[in-house]
Amino acid sequence: SSGINAEYGGVQKRMQHEGQWCMLLALPHGTDPVMVNNQTAVLQQGFISYLDSKQAAGIINLPVPEQTSPYVLHIFPPCDFTRINMKRFCPELMEGAGDCGYLLIVIATV
């Protein structure tokens, strides 16, 4: 949909400005395989499937006290945008992340 593509484009544009953004990777975690499988299911069913069904990124505005420019937190499910940026900035994580499901989080200035 054009809305999601516009969102990806807007974030990608912000990511061209060094020092104006950071990228985080949310992965399932657990102390044993059963716990990891449970966390993977929660991540997949609760977040990834929802964002995929809406064809949207999660967006949260984060006001910063005593600053005029707030930050915006963008949460992306696995997609071309996340794969391109993971390959560019953290290729070593790309292989393992795809197997278990993940969310890519970008915090950027407005």
Side-chain angles (χ1 to χ4, degrees):
S1 112
S2 61
I4 192 71
N5 290 333
E7 183 61 36
Y8 292 148
V11 174
Q12 193 68 54
K13 190 174 182 176
R14 287 187 186 110
M15 291 173 71
Q16 293 174 1
H17 302 285
E18 192 171 320
Q20 300 297 308
W21 61 276
C22 73
M23 186 170 72
L24 309 166
L25 186 63
L27 296 168
H29 173 72
T31 55
D32 59 54
V34 172
M35 193 180 235
V36 172
N37 286 338
N38 289 341
Q39 291 294 317
T40 299
V42 168
L43 185 65
Q44 184 66 45
Q45 295 164 5
F47 293 95
I48 295 171
S49 294
Y50 175 78
L51 292 171
D52 279 343
S53 73
K54 298 293 182 184
Q55 293 202 349
I59 301 171
I60 301 170
N61 291 309
L62 303 169
V64 180
E66 301 177 21
Q67 280 193 0
T68 56
S69 291
Y71 291 95
V72 180
L73 184 139
H74 305 268
I75 305 167
F76 297 100
C79 60
D80 289 342
F81 174 85
T82 61
R83 285 184 281 278
I84 289 166
N85 283 291
M86 286 177 62
K87 188 180 267 188
R88 180 175 173 201
F89 296 108
C90 54
E92 66 282 357
L93 295 176
M94 187 68 196
E95 287 181 36
D99 296 339
C100 61
Y102 62 88
L103 295 172
L104 185 74
I105 302 165
V106 177
I107 303 172
T109 56
V110 175

